[in-house]
Amino acid sequence: MASKSPQAPRLRQRQVAVPTQDIDDSRLHQEDHVGEVYQNPRRRHPVEKLLETRRASFIVVSVLTALAFALRFYKINQPDQVVFDEVHFGKFAAHYISREYYFDVHPPFAKLLFGLAGWFVGFDGKFLFENIGDSYTDNHVPYVGMRALPAILGSLTVPVVYAIMKESGYSTVIAAFSASIILFDNAHIAQSRLILLDATLIFFLSLTMYSYIRFKKLRYLPFSTEWWTWLTLTGAFMACTWGSKVNGILTVATIGIAVLIDLWDILDVKKEGHTMEYFWRHFTARAIGLILVPFIIYLSFFYVHFAVLTKSGPGDTFMSPAFQETLSGNEMLLNSQEIKYLDTVTLRHKDTKVFLHSHIERYPLKYEDGRISSQGQQVTGYGHNDTNNNWQIIPTKALPEAGRGRYVRHGDVIQLLHVNTQSYLLTHDVASPLMPTNQEFTTWPKDDHSRHNDTLFYININEGHDGDVVKSKSGHFKLIHGSTRVALWTHTKQLPEWAFKQQEINGNKGATEKSATWFIQDIIDSEDEDFKNRTEDHVEPKKPKSMNFFRKFGELQLLMLQHNAGLTASHPYASSPINWPFLLSGISFWTENDSQKQIYLIGNIVGWWTCVISLSIYVGILGADLLARRRGLDPIPDPVRNRLWNSTGFFMLVWGVHYAPFFLMSRQLFIHHYLPSHLASAMIAGSVFSFILSETVNYPVSVRGPSTRAHPKQYADLGIKAPIIFVGFSVAMLVVLLFFAPLTYGTPGLTGEQVNARRLLSTWTLHFAAKVTAEVV
Amino acid sequence: MTESRGVRHRGHKAPSPAPPLTGAETTPRDEKKELGPHEGQSKPQQTGFAPADLLKTEYLVHVVGLTYTLLSFWTRFYKIGHANSVVWDEAHFGKFGSHYLKREFYFDVHPPLGKMLVGLAGLLAGYDGSFEFKSGEDYTDEVPYVAMRMMLASFGAAMVPLGWYTAVELGMSQWAAHIVALMVLLDVGWLCISRFILLDSMLLFFTVLTVFCMTKFHNQRTRSFSFPWWFWLTSTGISIGCVSSVKMIGLFVTALVGLFTIEDLWEKFGDVSISVQDQLKHWTARVICLIFIPILVFMASFKVHFMILTNSGPGDAQMSSLFQAGLDGNEFADSPLEIAFGSRVTLKNVGYGGGLLHSHAHPYPDGSAQQQITCYHHKDHNNEWDILPRWEEPPYDPEGPIRFLQDGDVIRLQHPPTTRFLHSHRIPAPITKLHHEVSGYGNTTIGDVHDYWAVEVVDDLQRGSRAAVLKEGNIHALTTRLRFRHQVIGCYLRAANVNLPQWGWKQVEVTCDPENNPKDRHTYWNVEMHRNERLPPGDIEFYHSPFLVDFWHLNVAMMTSNNALVPDPDKEDILASKPTDWPFLHLGLRMNGWGDNTTKFYLVGNPIVWWGSSISLGLALAVLGVYLLRWQRKYVDMTDGEWTHFLYVGKVALFGWALHYFPFLIMGRVTYLHHYLPTLYFAVLMFGHVLDHLVFSSRRLPLAVKATVFGVIASAVVGTFWWFKGVAFGIDGPIGEHWGLLWRKSWNIYTQ
């Protein structure tokens, strides 16, 4: 069946398939609809003509923007308390202002902006956003200024969405439709009014999309100045997206995939017959604009980050000693001392901060679970200062009288003598009290040489080289047992009463285990005369060292990745990705019991479900188109299909790439991770809306190049239906927005019944709901 | 490509000429005949397809196939009884086989077909099921373990001829097919795992069989709806059913067949020349043969399972109370019918896969730190609860009048071994944080109103609706379904197959759900065991629980247990390995004790086979990438037919491999080296394919090069097999005396 007869002019009505006898004839014309679908712009509906003027478009976008600002700034000072993740991001901003080093899994760009905003409005960085519910007013924090930043960016996202749709060739009404889904959305509003990173992420994501579309539209004018500009801007905004939050890497992936598809087309010799040389030019241009430029920008965020954070802060301990030595005021810098043999020192575990401790009590012969111990002297981890933490480092080789030979070095074999009980640290193949898989640590009298070999330990500095001297505080090392190769290790489990609930120490068979890291806290005593000179009071604080930026950058990136993957703890409001598009669950951001106020992150259900329905319609259309074409039918005119596959397809790509990877992640996930995808789905909704109403599109949208074949222009005409539906839809969105406003703005408080009324889905776990007690019949 | 042709074209010798429309493959291949030069063994074929040659080729294929079969049986049976002790998972599967012979109901995470075949092997060998199969124990004289092992090893042996024929059906040149068959024959991993009482030999056999049937079916594609076409389609379906009934891993090869079928149908869908009727026929045929038949086979295996296991056994508690009541040797029927205060009961969760309400003397690690309450699937005294009146009421008097439990009664449930009461409070549950924690609290004298639970009758399986129960009055054991509502908070006692971490021994979390969902079966409970000496023993006539309910229940329970098999971060399991360890054989696995006097078996592959096949996967992708790029630049490297064939074999191998590999990366479950064994088969096919494409079927390379490549690879495979044969046939004496087996430093063959 041919979808259209070639003779009939293709105008606005959908062409009902006319069964024609001459199939061959219709096939001839199928490849190109050019001749048939010309349209006169003046024959459009007057409303459409009016709305498509520059002026009308400007007015519409102005109204949308003004509304966006109004909705996002309304009562932005409410609540004057720390809400949800403001705990983190507010704190980080404070650190920038006080220039204290912190560590976080997200790249620094958005947080730098918050720091800047805070600095701009006069925040002194003293308030540390410790708990949700801490008052800003009492602590004199100019939080409104800081919240204004995401509010501005969140508001500006709305006109950018509008512009994306306009640039993609949709009518004003359609562009306004997509923008209004974002404009009236409770979730976007709630996220934009607080000191959170998502508004920045989404804003730059939309800018990236916008620039890429502009760039794509110039594809017939390659290497022109404009083309280069939009290419570079795409790269720049992409870097900003990535720099705002780790999820931004998905935006990079999106653009990457789109570019690969694009390059694949350029490679196609059949299409325009380009030479390989031409292809490589394109390739290089994109490599510069979309890899090199973004990477430099991304690096520059970190450069600023390190340049600002020059003081020691809470993030120190995440970093390597070498890194810490670049921070002024860091403890390591103050009194990191080289250790000599026969020094008496205290050893401390890096992660749990307990001291290696031993006392005269012995392990019980039999544990509760029936296993047997060696009944040796207990070795435990103890959190407080005590003389039982003192160990003397005994050499296993002859020492010179004086000089550098007396220093303890990487890879040396040492013994540790427990000073108070005069016994050596020892481990052997006996199961530890709590973990049958790990070895027990105990001590052995100094004079009894029968087990000498079991008291030998290698001291291996992390990333150390031969000859490196062990230093107090800054030198992190592992203590590897000589004969059984286990590492001295501890974990947060407490031993029972017989060991005074101190922490268990045992030998971990994984000798590369990261958490088996120890350092020397203090030098207590030394056989050496110059000992006094080496203690802290006598030492001048050293100058912060410098470290190569790229090494710092590399170290931090690695840590960020590791920690991001490590965020697996369960959270009551974490949800699985499948729930997100359907808006099945929200997040409780903040509550105030007295006034029954709460902020609950939930989207505008009208908008979200419109998006989900549109997505399924879109997939349905594509599926039907594929099936039909497989059977040799051609139900959709080429310009419309191009639009659906290329333009809407790009939105779909954004949606999919920002959504699907979450299914593979095992870290805790929240509904706000879906917001970038929701933005894309709003655009798909607009496109589907347009497709349903009319088969016309503005075409072509790409800028014509010198060698491009002239396509007759076509114009979209949605008639009067579209504005009417749009107005109706916006009113519905607005009504729902206002209904849920108390949950979004956190004010006013709601009674139990009111809360119940707003609980449209039983999966929304709102606070202060009135109890509906089921009766027992 | 010539020498392969005689093989590959077997599908085309059908007298009926294929319609030209469908056969992109037919015509170009015939052209190739002219293009193709000269290869050694196939000289006679060059003249064309004289019937005599065809006959000869076919004959030759079978001669070779037979030879491989004989070799295969030799490798699989050689010294099979040498280790006369229980090796590795024989401890499990031998025991399950015994359960079939004793007809005792047991529970396991794997579907039953494989284990029933173990039972059958035992039956045929004359085993009576009395042996306990303790790990490492020596077999007694009553256990015909050699005969059992041999029967199961036959499955493993059959892999080899199937591998050969599959390669032939895939249209590989004979040289490539020999490589595939040799690799299947001589991989020590496959060999080793096939020689014991394990499910893997059957899993491998059915996986390989499925691929074989699929390729057979593919080669019938020009003769739709002919008898062979139906035969191979149906065989594929049955084979899918069998492989999925042996281990759930079989679903991966099912997915491969699914993808293959979807692609096939998509091709057909685009072929306008096929009439609508024929289209429908194609679709229906696949739905029936590839969906219904496998499901039927799967369900039939469970039906037989239930039919054999009619006695009460160790797996009872996994099933619904009614099912258990139907097992012989179960005492439920004798317990009193009506529940009263003072009764001692166990409470069974009605949801699919539900267990018994359980408590033990261990506290929650956080939350209230009170005693844990869980759902447990094994019967012990910690599942028992006493029904007692409220604190305010006079304490239960064993001498007083009997008070039957009624709907709406508020009770306390006391856990006799620890005297704690079932308790809940507004503290988040350990996993399901939005529910309240349920704990064991207090003792015989201490307690509070948070121990109160209101009994709500849902319905009764025998007497019908709630109204009917209320009219008649009392609550019955086994059949009355109840809910327990916390008197103070109003939440409902619930257990929904969420496993606790290691501190809760992976038992199921019990919570109190603040939402009242009357339809939620996970909040339904029934009384299972009921003891009360003051009541007369009931004489209950049970109706059997329907097969489909049991089937579903058992499958949910299997899933739940499977999900609980997650790696324990606190415990180092030296047997487990990560999927990334497999393709390049980073680790081996000791299958039994490593003492000097035991016969030692080490599960490790033939390094040439494993490394070579893994490299071939990467190579195939690289080759494909180059072809695609060149295709986009419009270079013609192959005829359409060659290209289709290159893609077809590549897709079977690559998708087969990926479907059997990547899911393991995502799964949270503990994974072991032997999980890679089905995966390896597809890698081996890819190895043959890549070699075939690049070397054996190359038009440019001279015969001498091809012969050399074949010779080198074949002798390397044979050589490494000979070198490593001990790990599969058994190593006697101190391991240190066997020199040169440590080909990767990470293997634990010599040291700890």
Side-chain angles (χ1 to χ4, degrees), chain A residues 356-571:
Chain A
L356 183 69
H357 180 96
S358 182
H359 41 227
I360 199 79
E361 282 78 8
R362 298 189 161 256
Y363 289 112
L365 177 60
K366 211 168 179 184
Y367 300 125
E368 262 183 27
D369 55 0
R371 287 182 301 116
I372 305 288
S373 84
S374 71
Q375 263 192 302
Q377 180 172 322
Q378 293 174 14
V379 174
T380 64
Y382 185 53
H384 306 280
N385 266 326
D386 186 299
T387 53
N388 271 330
N389 300 340
N390 295 352
W391 300 82
Q392 193 178 22
I393 304 177
I394 307 296
T396 55
K397 56 182 183 189
L399 288 182
E401 280 304 308
R404 300 294 295 170
R406 297 182 69 89
Y407 288 104
V408 184
R409 291 170 195 277
H410 172 69
D412 280 2
V413 178
I414 59 165
Q415 287 175 302
L416 285 174
L417 178 72
H418 188 243
V419 178
N420 283 1
T421 60
Q422 287 296 306
S423 54
Y424 286 125
L425 185 72
L426 170 146
T427 181
H428 47 192
D429 193 12
V430 173
S432 84
L434 299 180
M435 295 173 71
T437 50
N438 289 17
Q439 273 185 204
E440 177 193 271
F441 266 83
T442 178
T443 64
W444 199 255
K446 190 185 177 186
D447 310 324
D448 185 349
H449 294 289
S450 62
R451 302 195 59 187
H452 175 77
N453 282 344
D454 284 339
T455 62
L456 302 181
F457 290 88
Y458 289 93
I459 184 161
N460 288 342
I461 304 179
N462 288 0
E463 288 154 42
H465 303 282
D466 285 343
D468 286 1
V469 176
V470 178
K471 291 178 182 175
S472 65
K473 281 161 181 155
S474 68
H476 291 174
F477 57 83
K478 291 194 177 76
L479 215 53
I480 307 289
H481 187 230
S483 52
T484 61
R485 308 302 300 173
V486 298
L488 177 71
W489 186 68
T490 184
H491 56 126
T492 50
K493 281 228 181 79
Q494 289 176 341
L495 290 167
E497 209 54 66
W498 51 255
F500 317 105
K501 302 241 173 187
Q502 291 172 3
Q503 200 163 300
E504 186 195 23
I505 300 268
N506 62 37
N508 193 316
K509 287 182 180 135
T512 51
E513 172 66 42
K514 279 223 171 55
S515 56
T517 299
W518 297 78
F519 61 91
I520 290 174
Q521 172 74 22
D522 282 311
I523 309 172
I524 305 296
D525 195 9
S526 174
E527 313 250 306
D528 218 52
E529 281 91 49
D530 68 338
F531 158 65
K532 286 282 184 275
N533 295 338
R534 292 196 284 136
T535 51
E536 32 195 288
D537 304 339
H538 296 263
V539 180
E540 288 289 305
K542 289 178 233 163
K543 280 244 158 54
K545 294 183 183 165
S546 69
M547 184 178 173
N548 182 304
F549 164 70
F550 289 97
R551 281 186 58 196
K552 281 175 150 183
F553 172 77
E555 183 182 332
L556 182 56
Q557 284 295 311
L558 213 68
L559 280 171
M560 282 161 54
L561 281 180
Q562 286 167 359
H563 279 260
N564 200 34
L567 293 176
T568 50
S570 68
H571 188 283

Side-chain angles (χ1 to χ4, degrees), chain A residues 464-714:
Chain A
H465 303 282
D466 285 343
D468 286 1
V469 176
V470 178
K471 291 178 182 175
S472 65
K473 281 161 181 155
S474 68
H476 291 174
F477 57 83
K478 291 194 177 76
L479 215 53
I480 307 289
H481 187 230
S483 52
T484 61
R485 308 302 300 173
V486 298
L488 177 71
W489 186 68
T490 184
H491 56 126
T492 50
K493 281 228 181 79
Q494 289 176 341
L495 290 167
E497 209 54 66
W498 51 255
F500 317 105
K501 302 241 173 187
Q502 291 172 3
Q503 200 163 300
E504 186 195 23
I505 300 268
N506 62 37
N508 193 316
K509 287 182 180 135
T512 51
E513 172 66 42
K514 279 223 171 55
S515 56
T517 299
W518 297 78
F519 61 91
I520 290 174
Q521 172 74 22
D522 282 311
I523 309 172
I524 305 296
D525 195 9
S526 174
E527 313 250 306
D528 218 52
E529 281 91 49
D530 68 338
F531 158 65
K532 286 282 184 275
N533 295 338
R534 292 196 284 136
T535 51
E536 32 195 288
D537 304 339
H538 296 263
V539 180
E540 288 289 305
K542 289 178 233 163
K543 280 244 158 54
K545 294 183 183 165
S546 69
M547 184 178 173
N548 182 304
F549 164 70
F550 289 97
R551 281 186 58 196
K552 281 175 150 183
F553 172 77
E555 183 182 332
L556 182 56
Q557 284 295 311
L558 213 68
L559 280 171
M560 282 161 54
L561 281 180
Q562 286 167 359
H563 279 260
N564 200 34
L567 293 176
T568 50
S570 68
H571 188 283
Y573 291 98
S575 51
S576 79
I578 194 69
N579 297 323
W580 298 342
F582 307 99
L583 203 66
L584 294 187
S585 62
I587 309 170
S588 173
F589 268 16
W590 169 84
T591 54
E592 190 175 77
N593 289 334
D594 305 338
S595 52
Q596 296 222 359
K597 288 177 181 176
Q598 62 177 321
I599 297 183
Y600 188 79
L601 179 77
I602 198 75
N604 187 318
I605 198 159
V606 174
W608 284 58
W609 285 9
T610 306
C611 289
V612 179
I613 293 167
S614 305
L615 276 172
S616 35
I617 293 177
Y618 176 66
V619 172
I621 294 169
L622 291 198
D625 183 45
L626 272 180
L627 288 175
R629 278 201 288 167
R630 192 79 197 153
R631 297 296 296 170
L633 309 176
D634 193 8
I636 305 177
D638 281 357
V640 179
R641 173 180 305 126
N642 278 346
R643 179 63 44 82
L644 280 175
W645 281 94
N646 298 338
S647 161
T648 321
F650 176 64
F651 302 150
M652 191 71 183
L653 181 73
V654 176
W655 180 82
V657 173
H658 284 83
Y659 180 46
F662 287 106
F663 284 96
L664 300 179
M665 288 185 200
S666 51
R667 63 162 278 176
Q668 31 167 284
L669 298 170
F670 297 98
I671 192 166
H672 60 245
H673 290 139
Y674 183 70
L675 289 178
S677 282
H678 176 254
L679 184 90
S681 69
M683 299 176 196
I684 296 172
S687 168
V688 168
F689 182 41
S690 169
F691 178 82
I692 291 173
L693 284 181
S694 156
E695 210 171 65
T696 56
V697 284
N698 292 315
Y699 179 84
V701 290
S702 290
V703 181
R704 229 183 109 189
S707 61
T708 331
R709 197 158 41 120
H711 283 276
K713 267 191 123 38
Q714 298 179 45

Side-chain angles (χ1 to χ4, degrees), chain A residues 264 267-270 274-276 435 437 509 570 572 626-627 630-631 664 759 765 774 776-777, chain B residues 266-272 274 279 407 433-434 456 466 485 492 515-516 570 628-629 632-634:
Chain A
W264 185 249
L267 195 63
D268 188 354
V269 80
K270 179 173 57 180
H274 298 306
T275 59
M276 277 311 277
M435 295 173 71
T437 50
K509 287 182 180 135
S570 68
L626 272 180
L627 288 175
R630 192 79 197 153
R631 297 296 296 170
L664 300 179
R759 195 177 169 193
T765 44
V776 184
V777 193
Chain B
W266 181 246
E267 292 292 328
K268 297 246 177 341
F269 186 75
D271 186 349
V272 192
I274 301 179
Q279 291 273 7
D407 178 58
K433 300 260 187 206
L434 293 175
E456 292 181 13
R466 172 182 163 84
R485 182 168 50 79
Y492 285 87
E515 298 294 327
N516 177 14
D570 300 335
L628 280 179
L629 283 172
Q632 188 76 341
R633 300 299 294 173
K634 296 298 166 289

